[in-house]
Amino acid sequence: ASYRPLLKQVLEDICNPDRPDPVDIEHVSSGLTDLLKTGFSMFMKVNRPHPGDHPLLIIFMVGGVSVSEVKMVKDLVATRKPGTQVIVLSSVLLTPHSAIELLFASDRLQPDTDI
C-alpha cells in the first residue's frame, strides 16, 4: 500500500500527457468561442479544453495548505509540465503547530487558535 495525496493525484491528472478527461475538474465556458463550442457539442463530438492546455494554473486550497504541499506542487509541475506558471492560493498557510491545534480544537466550527 502507498499513500498518494489528493493534491498530487489532481496535478498528475492535469499534467498527464495522455490527457484523459479529468473526472473531478469541470470546464466553465467563457467567451464567444467557448460558448459556440459548447453549443455545437450537443450535435457533434467537440473536445472540451483541458486544464493542462493553459500556461497558467491556479490552485485554491480551502482549509489551508502546508509549505511541503506547495513545494510538491512546484516540483511536480516543473518535472511534468515545464513552462507552466503555478499559483497556489489558500485560506491559511498551515504550520505544524497550527495543524495540530486545528486537529484537536474543541469546537470544529470555531477553532480556538490565533491563526
Side-chain angles (χ1 to χ4, degrees):
S2 65
Y3 170 70
R4 284 184 41 215
L6 178 63
L7 182 58
K8 186 173 184 176
Q9 292 176 28
V10 170
L11 282 172
E12 286 175 347
D13 285 345
I14 290 172
C15 298
N16 189 354
D18 297 335
R19 302 174 50 112
D21 282 337
V23 178
D24 297 333
I25 301 170
E26 183 177 330
H27 174 72
V28 178
S29 298
S30 65
L32 182 60
T33 306
D34 287 339
L35 186 60
L36 289 173
K37 283 182 185 177
T38 305
F40 285 123
S41 68
M42 288 186 255
F43 305 110
M44 64 171 102
K45 175 81 171 133
V46 176
N47 291 338
R48 295 182 310 171
H50 194 271
D53 292 341
H54 205 276
L56 175 65
L57 180 63
I58 300 173
I59 299 171
F60 186 82
M61 298 289 293
V62 176
V65 66
S66 67
V67 176
S68 62
E69 289 174 324
V70 173
K71 177 153 178 27
M72 183 214 31
V73 168
K74 177 186 169 261
D75 293 343
L76 187 71
V77 171
T79 57
R80 298 250 178 141
K81 196 127 174 95
T84 301
Q85 181 182 7
V86 179
I87 298 174
V88 180
L89 304 168
S90 177
S91 55
V92 68
L93 182 64
L94 295 174
T95 62
H97 179 70
S98 64
I100 296 296
E101 283 188 359
L102 288 170
L103 184 63
F104 294 111
S106 58
D107 185 5
R108 301 267 186 224
L109 297 177
Q110 301 277 326
D112 50 2
T113 61
D114 294 331
I115 297 177

